[in-house]
Structure formats: C-alpha cells, structure tokens
Amino acid sequence: MPVGLKSHEGSRTALILYGSETGNAQDIAEELGRLLERLHFVTRVCDMNSVDSSNLSHNTVALFAISTTGQGDIPANAQLFWKSLLRRRLPPDHLQGVKFATFGLGDSSYPKFNWAVRKLHKRLAQLGAREIYSRGEADEQHPEGSDGSYLPWSIELRAHLLHRYPLPENLSPIPDDVLLQPKWTLEFVDGSDSESLEPNGTHSEDQTTNGSAPILSKSQGPDPSSAVVAPPSDLLPTPGSLRATLTENIRVTPTSHWQDVRHLTFTTESLTHYLPGDVLTIFPKNFPDDVDQFLRLMEWDLQADRPIRFVPTKASTTPQTYPPPPIPHLLPYPQLTLRSLLTSYLDITSIPRRSFFSLIAHFTNDAMHKERLLEFTNPEYIDELYDYTTRPRRSILEVLQEFESVKIPWQWVGTVLPVLRGRQFSIASGGPLKTPVNGTSQQTRIELLVAIVKYRTVIKKIRQGVCTRYLAALPTGTQMNVRLQRGGLGISKAEATRPAVMIGPGTGVAPMRSLIWERLAWSEQVKLQQEKALVANNGAESVERNVSIGENVLFFGCRNKDSDYFFADEWEALHERLGLKVFTAFSRDQKHKLYVQDLVREQSRLVYRLLHGEEGVVYICGSSGKMPQAVREALIEVFQKEGMLDRASAEGYLMNMEKGGRYKQETW
C-alpha cells in the first residue's frame, strides 16, 4: 500500500549513504540526493562512516551507493559502518523499520564483481531492514560506464518512490528545469559580498566585478604563456596524511619510446609501515594556466584572490541532519581563495558527468546553448553524451570553452564542479627497499612506478592525466602530504610459505616488485631464525628447519625489451638471492604478438604444480581491460590440460582458489 505524505515538516526524509574509493559511488549518491529532493524529501548525503546504524530508522528511506574494492572489499569510508553491522550482539530486528534500496558499482573483470553491495544488501535484510526497491548494479566495463545501468535503475526508482510515497494533490515533483538550492555556497570572509545573483548567474547590480584581465598568482611568474608553469608547491591540509619528500623522479623509458614512465621515490619524515599491495594516494593540483583560463571564462578575475569560505544556506544546521560541505576540512582554512580552490581542490579537467550539464544549463542566457546542454541530460541521448564527453575525453574546461555563454556564479562553484580527488598508486618497494639510502632509521622509503598519461584522442587533441601530469612536473625536494592505504591484494606474511605466481605486465609489475623484495626479507628472517635455533639446540635440527619461503615466479609483459622491461637488472640479482624465475613476453619484438597469458600456457606444468600441487597463490596486477580475463582463461586451460579436468571442474577449482584467498587481483 502506498505511504502518504505526513503533514508535519521534515517527516519525509531520505538518507543517502555512500562507500566510495575513487569518488564514483559518491557521485551516484549525490545524484540520488537530487532525485529525492525533487520528490520533496528532505535529503542528507554523506559517507557511511558518518552514520550510526541505529539512526537509519529515523528516515523515511535509506539509499546506499557503494563500490567494490580489492578482493570484494568494502571502501575505507564505509568500513566502520560495515563492521558495526557485523557485531554479534546485534539482534535480528536491529534495523526493523528501515526501508532501503542499494546500488553497487563494480568491474566485471574482477572475480568478486559487486560483492560489496551484495554483502551489504544481504546484511541489511538479515538485521530486519526491508528492501523497497530491487538492487541495482553497475559495471565499469559497460560501454556507457556506470550510467548504462544507473540511468534505467534511477528512472524506475523514481516512479516507484512516487507510487509508494505519493505527494498531496496540490504538490508536484520539482521539475528538472528548476534549479535546486545548494546546501553550501561561498562568501567573502570580509563580509563584503553584497552581490545578489539571478538564476542565470548574472549580477543584478552593475557588472563592475567582471574584469577582463587575469590576476596572476606569484608562483606563475611574469609571463605564464611563455612556458608551462608547474602548480604551486604549498602543502595542503589533508586529513589522515603523512609528510613525504620526493627524492627521485626518473624517467625509465627512452625519450624515443611512446610512453613516459617514471620511477618515483619518496621519503617520509617518520617511520611508516606498509605491506606489498598497499597504495600511496597522491593529491594533485591543477596547472596555473588551466586555472587562469577558467577564471577568465567565468569572468572571476577580480574575485580570484580574495579570501572566501563555505557557508550553509540554511541558518540552523546540525551535523546529524545536514550534509557536510563539499570539502569538509577546508572550513577552518584561512588562506582559501577562488584561485587556491580551483588549483588544489576542484577538478576542472575531468570528464563531466550528466549532472554537470544539468547544472550549467541554468547559467546561460543563450537559448541554443541551453537546449543543447539539456539534451545531454536526457537519458534518451546517452549515446550522444558518450560521443561528446567520454569518447574524445573532453574536459570540463573544454566544455565551458565551447559553451562560452555559461557563467557560473562564483558562490556556486563548490556545487557545480567535482572535488579534485587523490589518485592511488600501487607501491613498488618492499623489504630492504623500505630503508632510505641516505636517510635515518626513523624514515621510510616509498617507491612508485607511474605511467604518465598523455595521448591523442579521436578529435586529435592531446589529453593528459591530471595527477600524472602533476607528478611528471615535480622537482626533487618537493614536500607533499600523501596518504598511505591498505591495498586490495591483502597480502600477509602468512602467505610467504606458499609459492607465489605473479602476473604483472607493464606498470602492473610495481606491486609484484614490492612483494618479491618483501618475500626476500621474509626469507632472510626465516634463515636467521633457523640459524639461531640451530645454535640454541647445539646443532640439533628443529621443526623450524623445515619452514621455508615458497617458490617465486614472475610473468612480465611489455612492448619491447629495450624500452619498457622494468627492473630487468634486479630480476637477475633476485634470481641468485631468492631463486626468482622470470618469464617475459615482449609483444612487439617478433612478428607474432606474445602476451603474459601465452606464457602461462607455455609454462602450464610449472603453474599447475605451484598452484595445484603446492597450493600456491596467484597475483594478477595491471590494466583492467582484456588482460585479467585473458589470464583467467589461460589458468582455466592449465587446470584442464595438466589436471585432466573438464571445463566446469577447472572453473570450479579457480573459484575455490578465490574463496580461499589464493587468487588475488588488483587492476586499474
């Protein structure tokens, strides 16, 4: 039976929670927030860790958007909430009265596709919560990305909510062409912001604030057009971060090679622990030239360097009922200006989402531009949106350059632009490589192997990754606030006694290198313990004598032996010290192309012995395209051939490896 709208204010509430590793699930949650706000729900969007599960029933509905990370794991900003749901003392009716729906984001190239949302959905139901709409699942491999699944799911969800929670006869849903009031806006710190804004983004008073000359920051120098100026090196306030200094930034591919790959070394100021598979999050900055272009386009030159702050649009707010600002830790930041906000905290070069077009359509007086922008928001034109944005990798800045009539009010910029998020890179160092060469015992070395993203699109324009472009420009000695996080491989010392079959083509070899050096350290620790035990037992053999590190096999692939065979010299030395076996596939060095999956088939007897006979662990790292599935298929064929198994039995064995934590994948 439909549930009618209650009469008292605030009774129609929606809590939209997200668990997001890279920001995609957060984007979905924010879209859901806008969808429910148009249905006259009082909405709050926040990460799952910000909420106590006992408060879920205080809302009319609770919606969850969550991505899957690692080996079917829950994202970091949802783990506390998830652990709270797993407490044994919770009664089966703990979430009775909660009405919920879930949407998951995953990648079908991973074995545990969308496991996070499936686990969450199941646990919510176990604790008495009631599903009000069927679960949605997005696949990153879909031609249209997550939108390919989200759009039809959200349209049906909207219709279902209107049926279940009908509006009074005198009240209709807020139309899509009506601009929703943001929860937070910007204002000048000195309180001199007396400008009133019309919905189209123009000033109701005279236009004296719209200067035409850019105000250049001191870091740009006198003529930013004469050379590419790197972003400023000021340290950003970043919660949960640690201070690190860039000590090496070396290109490891020849300048004649098509791709620039960097070997980066950081030294932390304090002793820091990490394991193979862990990741380092780098927080990039936009380049001054791009920021200047954006400021000129929006005609914000005179406002660019005045101190600003985020303020809520409602007078009375509490953290329990009001969503946090777009960048919560900037609330006490006194140096914030539009220029610094655009440089360090807002993304102006990413591919825009549909919601971006919906918002900026309100800030133009050009009828043709408005019509075209709204077409991109229409689900019927999802192919056109893909062809305009994703296929040519068109950026937010370029969209605004083409729709030059759009003038975003500077007070709204935190609502219109996405947050510039940190990028995660797999750590390439381990074991003895954790110790700085010229540092102290209280410092830690962290190495990365990073491919600089730079390519030409179908519209013949050069595209660069915002973070790798930033890293490539950094001089040694630069200090940064970085964040160290557990990776998805979940490697532990307990696995060291098992054989390791490592498959890491290209920069996917980074976590494999970390693991190999760490296994060397573990091996030397075992030998030392055995020698001590031998001395303690007066030369008698002990049980520990039988403990040893399992065999180590690496399958590496790249284009050319002379161009991108990373760490080749190290592999030779590690063969002597650890017995490491390395099998290489140089795909362009012969007439027929050779890939890592071909090597797995060639070494089928060895692979079968290590994975089946000795119950080893296989690690797969690298590109999330065709490689993981091709390697998986090769492993199935190995089990079929060497184990005399049929297809179903071979697949079943691989699935059992996954369940037992012996098949691990981390791709990007």
Side-chain angles (χ1 to χ4, degrees):
M1 292 292 292
V3 180
L5 181 66
K6 297 178 183 178
S7 59
H8 61 280
E9 183 181 355
S11 62
R12 187 181 175 90
T13 61
L15 179 63
I16 300 97
L17 302 175
Y18 59 83
S20 187
E21 197 70 32
T22 61
N24 291 329
Q26 182 177 348
D27 289 341
I28 292 292
E30 289 170 352
E31 286 204 35
L32 287 171
R34 289 186 287 270
L35 184 152
L36 269 77
E37 191 171 348
R38 293 188 182 278
L39 301 183
H40 296 280
F41 283 87
V42 176
T43 62
R44 180 188 175 208
V45 180
C46 60
D47 66 78
M48 294 186 198
N49 285 351
S50 301
V51 173
D52 190 315
S53 62
S54 61
N55 294 328
L56 293 180
S57 60
H58 299 169
N59 300 274
T60 309
V61 295
L63 303 183
F64 297 82
I66 185 169
S67 60
T68 297
T69 182
Q71 313 306 305
D73 299 324
I74 303 289
N77 59 4
Q79 285 181 1
L80 293 178
F81 177 82
W82 173 243
K83 290 176 182 177
S84 74
L85 295 182
L86 299 180
R87 290 174 295 178
R88 292 185 178 182
R89 66 176 183 271
L90 292 179
D93 61 350
H94 175 65
L95 297 181
Q96 187 173 1
V98 175
K99 300 173 181 63
F100 77 97
T102 57
F103 188 85
L105 293 89
D107 186 330
S108 58
S109 69
Y110 278 76
K112 296 181 178 179
F113 171 60
N114 263 318
W115 269 40
V117 72
R118 295 174 188 179
K119 291 191 292 187
L120 175 65
H121 193 105
K122 182 178 179 180
R123 185 57 179 161
L124 292 172
Q126 286 175 342
L127 293 174
R130 186 151 57 95
E131 177 192 71
I132 59 168
Y133 188 67
S134 58
R135 181 177 69 242
E137 294 186 0
D139 183 1
E140 190 59 36
Q141 299 298 319
H142 191 285
E144 280 104 26
S146 59
D147 271 355
S149 303
Y150 171 74
L151 283 178
W153 182 84
S154 63
I155 291 170
E156 293 173 6
L157 171 68
R158 180 185 183 277
H160 181 81
L161 290 174
L162 273 175
H163 173 72
R164 184 176 181 86
Y165 305 99
L167 294 167
E169 292 183 3
N170 62 343
L171 191 63
S172 300
I174 301 172
D176 291 340
D177 60 355
V178 173
L179 184 61
L180 296 174
Q181 178 76 2
K183 301 295 190 296
W184 294 82
T185 57
L186 291 165
E187 69 174 14
F188 291 128
V189 172
D190 58 17
S192 61
D193 179 17
S194 59
E195 305 162 359
S196 60
L197 294 170
E198 301 297 331
N200 63 6
T202 60
H203 296 274
S204 59
E205 314 225 343
D206 63 37
Q207 299 293 309
T208 56
T209 57
N210 289 342
S212 58
I215 297 177
L216 303 179
S217 65
K218 294 179 181 178
S219 64
Q220 289 177 285
D223 183 13
S225 63
S226 62
V228 176
V229 180
S233 59
D234 54 316
L235 289 167
L236 307 181
T238 307
S241 64
L242 56 100
R243 185 76 53 83
T245 301
L246 178 66
T247 54
E248 287 184 320
N249 188 348
I250 302 170
R251 175 166 179 160
V252 292
T253 51
T255 54
S256 58
H257 189 58
W258 69 280
Q259 188 170 48
D260 179 358
V261 178
R262 299 298 178 99
H263 185 187
L264 301 153
T265 303
F266 297 89
T267 301
T268 65
E269 293 187 351
S270 57
L271 194 61
T272 305
H273 176 71
Y274 63 87
L275 288 170
D278 288 355
V279 297
L280 191 72
T281 300
I282 304 290
F283 299 91
K285 298 178 182 179
N286 290 309
F287 277 64
D289 182 56
D290 292 334
V291 173
D292 284 339
Q293 289 184 55
F294 194 97
L295 289 169
R296 285 194 294 269
L297 275 171
M298 295 299 104
E299 301 175 348
W300 295 347
D301 306 304
L302 296 182
Q303 299 98 325
D305 298 291
R306 293 179 60 181
I308 56 175
R309 64 188 173 198
F310 282 102
V311 291
T313 54
K314 288 188 177 180
S316 178
T317 64
T318 62
Q320 291 74 30
T321 60
Y322 201 76
I327 311 166
H329 62 275
L330 287 188
L331 282 179
Y333 189 44
Q335 293 84 18
L336 190 64
T337 64
L338 279 173
R339 190 184 304 279
S340 64
L341 192 63
L342 291 170
T343 298
S344 304
Y345 298 104
L346 296 178
D347 199 339
I348 60 177
T349 61
S350 63
I351 299 172
R353 293 181 60 85
R354 280 185 314 105
S355 56
F356 173 78
F357 292 95
S358 176
L359 277 170
I360 66 172
H362 294 284
F363 304 129
T364 176
N365 288 323
D366 187 305
M368 290 183 62
H369 280 183
K370 187 180 187 73
E371 181 182 4
R372 182 61 173 154
L373 290 168
L374 290 176
E375 281 181 2
F376 289 134
T377 70
N378 190 333
E380 294 180 7
Y381 297 111
I382 189 172
D383 291 340
E384 286 194 33
L385 177 63
Y386 177 85
D387 289 339
Y388 181 72
T389 56
T390 306
R391 190 164 178 262
R393 316 299 292 178
R394 189 175 266 108
S395 71
I396 286 173
L397 180 58
E398 288 173 321
V399 169
L400 292 172
Q401 288 169 337
E402 293 186 12
F403 292 89
E404 58 186 1
S405 67
V406 172
K407 302 300 176 187
I408 303 167
W410 65 265
Q411 294 92 334
W412 284 61
V413 67
T415 298
V416 176
L417 296 182
V419 172
L420 183 58
R421 296 186 172 96
R423 268 59 169 181
Q424 295 180 342
F425 297 94
S426 291
I427 294 173
S429 48
L433 299 185
K434 294 178 180 179
T435 304
V437 176
N438 298 314
T440 70
S441 59
Q442 296 305 308
Q443 295 178 310
T444 302
R445 181 168 65 173
I446 303 174
E447 298 181 28
L448 305 178
L449 183 68
V450 178
I452 305 304
V453 179
K454 186 175 182 179
Y455 58 94
R456 196 176 297 274
T457 70
V458 293
I459 57 175
K460 307 303 180 185
K461 286 196 173 183
I462 293 177
R463 294 285 181 263
Q464 299 185 70
V466 63
C467 193
T468 59
R469 180 190 180 199
Y470 169 67
L471 285 173
L474 287 180
T476 55
T478 300
Q479 286 194 324
M480 308 169 64
N481 285 333
V482 297
R483 186 177 293 155
L484 191 62
Q485 293 176 257
R486 286 304 309 269
L489 291 177
I491 295 172
S492 68
K493 189 175 180 180
E495 298 171 6
T497 57
R498 295 179 182 270
V501 176
M502 297 164 278
I503 304 169
T507 55
V509 78
M512 303 296 92
R513 178 179 183 252
S514 175
L515 177 58
I516 291 166
W517 280 103
E518 197 73 25
R519 285 172 71 92
L520 174 66
W522 289 336
S523 175
E524 292 176 346
Q525 289 173 13
V526 168
K527 290 178 183 177
L528 184 61
Q529 290 170 358
Q530 290 173 346
E531 290 172 1
K532 289 181 177 179
L534 196 62
V535 172
N537 294 331
N538 296 319
E541 294 286 348
S542 67
V543 175
E544 290 183 353
R545 191 71 178 173
N546 298 322
V547 177
S548 63
I549 301 299
E551 288 187 51
N552 301 276
V553 175
L554 172 65
F555 292 96
F556 175 77
C558 63
R559 290 198 173 196
N560 310 104
K561 181 178 181 180
D562 295 334
S563 297
D564 49 354
Y565 184 16
F566 306 126
F567 309 117
D569 294 340
E570 289 186 15
W571 306 145
E572 294 180 13
L574 286 163
H575 172 71
E576 298 296 326
R577 298 178 66 182
L578 191 63
L580 174 69
K581 296 184 179 72
V582 180
F583 299 97
T584 55
F586 306 116
S587 63
R588 303 298 195 275
D589 281 353
Q590 60 281 314
K591 290 183 179 180
H592 67 283
K593 292 183 179 179
L594 187 67
Y595 299 107
V596 286
Q597 59 265 29
D598 301 315
L599 299 178
V600 170
R601 292 186 180 93
E602 288 178 6
Q603 300 298 323
S604 62
R605 185 173 298 179
L606 172 64
V607 171
Y608 183 77
R609 175 174 65 81
L610 296 179
L611 296 184
H612 185 273
E614 300 180 25
E615 296 187 338
V617 183
V618 62
Y619 305 92
I620 303 168
C621 296
S623 171
S624 63
K626 298 178 181 178
M627 183 274 295
Q629 188 57 41
V631 168
R632 184 180 180 86
E633 182 64 28
L635 289 171
I636 290 172
E637 291 178 20
V638 166
F639 295 140
Q640 284 183 275
K641 175 184 174 183
E642 301 297 337
M644 304 295 289
L645 302 175
D646 57 28
R647 174 81 188 191
S649 298
E651 289 180 345
Y653 185 79
L654 199 60
M655 290 178 66
N656 286 332
M657 285 183 61
E658 294 166 10
K659 293 176 182 177
R662 296 197 298 117
Y663 182 102
K664 301 190 177 189
Q665 178 180 319
E666 184 74 279
T667 53
W668 49 84

